[in-house]
Amino acid sequence: MTRSQSKQTISSTTPNVPKFKRTADTSQANSSKTELDTAAKRDAELLAEERIRYDPDVLMMAYPWDEAAKDVSVKSADLVTKALESFLPSSAADEVLALPSELDEPAFRERLTSLANEFKPWLLPLGDDAADKLYKEKPIYSYFRDVVLFVMECLKKLHTGNDVPEHYRLLLPNSTGSDSKGKDSTQGFKVDQVLVLRPWSDDIGQGVKEWRYANILAVAEAKVPDNVPAVKKKGAPPGFNLSSSVGVPLPTNLRAAQGQMLCYSRQMYERQPNRIFFWGLTFCGSLARVYCSGPDCVLSSADLDLRTPNGRRLFVEWLVFMSMGEDEQRGFNPAVQFVNSKVHGKYWKIDVPVLTDEGYDSGCDDAVTSYYSRGPTVVAGSSFGRNTRGFPATRDVDRIDKPNVFVKTAWQHAERGPNSTRLSELDCLKLIKKEFGNGKDGIHVPILVAGGVMAKRRSDGSLVPLTTDAFYVGDILKRHRIVENSETIGDGVAPQPGLSGANDEERNPLLEPRLIAFRQQYVLVTEKICEPLNTVKTADELIVVLSDAMRAHSWVLENCSLLHRDISPNNIMVVRNEATTDGPPVYGMLIDFDCAIDPTMERVARPERTGTKPFMSVSNLEGHPEQRTELDDWESLLYVLCWIATFGINDNDRSILAEIHKGNEVPLEISEWHTSNSMVAIAVKKRKHLHDVQSFTDDISDRFPISSEDSKIPDYRALNDLAVDLYRAMFQNPGVDEKCRGARKRKDDGVLSKRSMYRFGSSKDGGPLSSFKNMTMEPSGTEDILTKPTSNDPFVNRAEHSAKTKIIESLKEVLTYHADFAKETLATVSSK
């Protein structure tokens, strides 16, 4: 077996505050930005179909928590609604309402009149003169903008002076009216409309000319109604009303608007480190819906018909509550705050429960301390799930540019009650710290410093834990709560029937899954500063990091009885070895133990399906009833290696390879690990790609880039060697029965599939890895076919104890061999 050398050299040292950022879903490292955008929109529409649920109480989530603040907000909303209705004489039985006296000044009335004249067609019963505009999208954006400006003008008029609370914010729309792009956007999308949070002292004007995802409250998407006949698109008969049963939008355009809203909102999570849920809006004609997205699902209001007084009142209330409410109503974590200081500049302050002599505090008393960070190096890039972020930080704000710990925040699943069996990541890290002691040679694991459940301080000074229960109000949890102390399928989705509150008649709410799991907003502080996996500089660095991560995986399993179950690029971190010249320049650390379990504990029959789709094991994707084992995590490691080696190990290589992949007439086979429509479909593709060496090399490993010395194309021959050896050790291991080889299921009669059946020939030489060096692969004869295998699925057979043990020993041997070779190469490069 040859070991090819990478020709890349090691670049300069990374500073203590890394400038590298990455999204939580590195599976989207696709071949071009256009393909990325298309895939993102498609995925978002699928998510909209799966996770959006109607709930009548969703608008109540916008109500201020403090009773006094709620009273002021309700009164303000009532006055603004009356002001709006005063400009719509046909809306209340032809009765003309008076403008409230608090707002009735000549100059101010003129400003309101000019705005009302613009949006009136949107809010009045549809007639011939307005129909043409409502059947096009762009006028809707301008109507929305002018209504928002009207409400903000009224609010600012009602609340002026020095007594305005600090948390009041203006909600300002994009002044251009439609199709604008955030200045900090990483995608090619143009958004229909946004609501930007601005200080109360700002001028309202016509809205904002430029905006950033870092400071928006919500994305708004508009579509024309689906089912209006084409002949009516240039005018509607008198009395035709889109809110009637004939005009209610069908799902097609509404679903498209919802999908776009979810797609664009992802960047809010990337750019806002304290965002823990978001709000969104869609419009179909004059029908509005308000959405609130938590970590597990999106709750939708009913249609708010803006041509009716009640619809307008509810819409105005939401705008007022978002403007006058506190940050938690807007979807921000009150324990993670942005600070702009004259002395220390811009930074984030993170309140963390402290470690006491009695143990780790829950965050529900005064035992909290603050950590300071310039910003996250790990950012949440998904609308759902744990929304994990990671901050290089310090407890001393004067040393903010020399961080010495790593702070992680995430929505983590939790259980309550005496029968709870789920281990929190805090439990796992406490156990790891206890067993790790003063350190273990060659083992790199996160060492806990502090942590617990984050909390919000109430007006009376008390601290309230940040849980999903704290945000969902009314009867929302009764309709959507996942049964506690039960296993979930996916990240927060359980296949248990329950009331979802769906308002579509064709949808049976009793057959829909409940979506809201009990989660807690955890914060964990660990030693050492980590960088994302995409900061490795060479293929050899990547091999060393992966080897260290899996060595830690094995140590934790053997010494702490914890099975990680979520091996992905996001959970393998890079630590720079800058303090000493001994050892390699980098080592790897395995993080994120919030999916970990004790495999020795008795669990429910159906295990969780955890992980990120491209990196999930086949058994995990297919939801096998057998419990996951460490072999599933090793299988995930192979997928991580193949994915990174195909699309690039770092940002520079990804850019180069993306340009190369643009010329592909046929998409890369490995892309189907992400783009297939379901987990089962991904599993089918993986079985095809992994069934034999020929399939694996042709479809996967031969797609890794290999270059000559003078080429700018990255040289991943070392990764190719490693991937093929890991594949052989797992799927074609000569030390286990033939029933454990391959990836496709055998026929029910026990006869193996005839396609590409191989057996291992003898090794051509001995020494280390003698089972894998220079292997010969030969078609198997019929005499080797098993007539009565214990299972027709090789994945199930490999999980059997003796086979699993032999395979894992081989995998460790392979990875150690390649890592030792990589360390030698890195040492040679650094000595030059």
Side-chain angles (χ1 to χ4, degrees), residues 8 12 146 203 391 534 620 627 700 740 803-805 826:
Q8 293 174 286
S12 59
D146 293 331
D203 292 331
F391 301 78
N534 64 9
N620 199 358
Q627 293 297 333
I700 306 299
C740 301
K804 178 184 69 175
T805 301
L826 292 172

Side-chain angles (χ1 to χ4, degrees), residues 440-596:
K440 307 295 179 183
D441 187 37
I443 303 299
H444 307 287
V445 292
I447 302 302
L448 188 66
V449 175
V453 181
M454 305 186 87
K456 170 197 162 41
R457 191 174 296 279
R458 298 284 198 183
S459 57
D460 61 1
S462 63
L463 289 174
V464 179
L466 293 180
T467 69
T468 45
D469 287 5
F471 294 97
Y472 293 114
V473 299
D475 292 329
I476 290 176
L477 292 177
K478 292 181 181 179
R479 299 185 188 95
H480 306 282
R481 162 73 81 201
I482 291 175
V483 177
E484 288 202 17
N485 299 338
S486 66
E487 295 289 344
T488 58
I489 302 302
D491 199 350
V493 183
Q496 301 164 6
L499 294 174
S500 70
N503 64 341
D504 297 318
E505 292 182 2
E506 69 276 13
R507 179 181 291 164
N508 184 348
L510 293 176
L511 299 179
E512 292 194 357
R514 294 184 178 181
L515 294 176
I516 299 177
F518 177 66
R519 293 181 186 254
Q520 297 173 320
Q521 182 71 198
Y522 263 96
V523 58
L524 300 168
V525 183
T526 55
E527 297 176 358
K528 302 190 187 311
I529 302 300
C530 303
E531 299 174 4
L533 188 58
N534 64 9
T535 61
V536 295
K537 301 167 185 175
T538 67
D540 288 300
E541 283 195 357
L542 176 63
I543 293 171
V544 171
V545 169
L546 295 181
S547 176
D548 286 344
M550 294 310 292
R551 185 181 295 112
H553 176 278
S554 299
W555 183 89
V556 169
L557 179 61
E558 294 166 6
N559 293 273
C560 306
S561 191
L562 293 174
L563 179 61
H564 190 276
R565 299 196 311 161
D566 191 13
I567 302 298
S568 71
N570 297 341
N571 295 336
I572 299 173
M573 304 295 285
V574 178
V575 181
R576 293 282 160 189
N577 187 11
E578 299 169 357
T580 177
T581 58
D582 297 333
V586 296
Y587 57 86
M589 180 181 290
L590 185 64
I591 65 166
D592 219 352
F593 285 82
D594 48 1
C595 289

Side-chain angles (χ1 to χ4, degrees), residues 29 45 87 111 114 149 156 183 189 552:
E45 289 193 27
F87 290 94
R111 165 66 169 159
S114 65
L149 294 176
K156 194 167 183 181
K183 299 293 289 184
F189 304 130

Side-chain angles (χ1 to χ4, degrees), residues 64-73:
W65 289 357
D66 183 80
E67 288 298 325
K70 183 188 298 185
D71 184 60
V72 174
S73 299

Side-chain angles (χ1 to χ4, degrees), residues 95-109:
E95 176 186 358
V96 178
L97 300 178
L99 187 67
S101 58
E102 295 89 338
L103 303 172
D104 195 4
E105 295 180 2
F108 190 68
R109 172 185 283 273

Side-chain angles (χ1 to χ4, degrees), residues 275 350 381 410 586 596 689 762:
R275 172 70 68 177
I350 308 163
V586 296
H689 298 151
S762 60

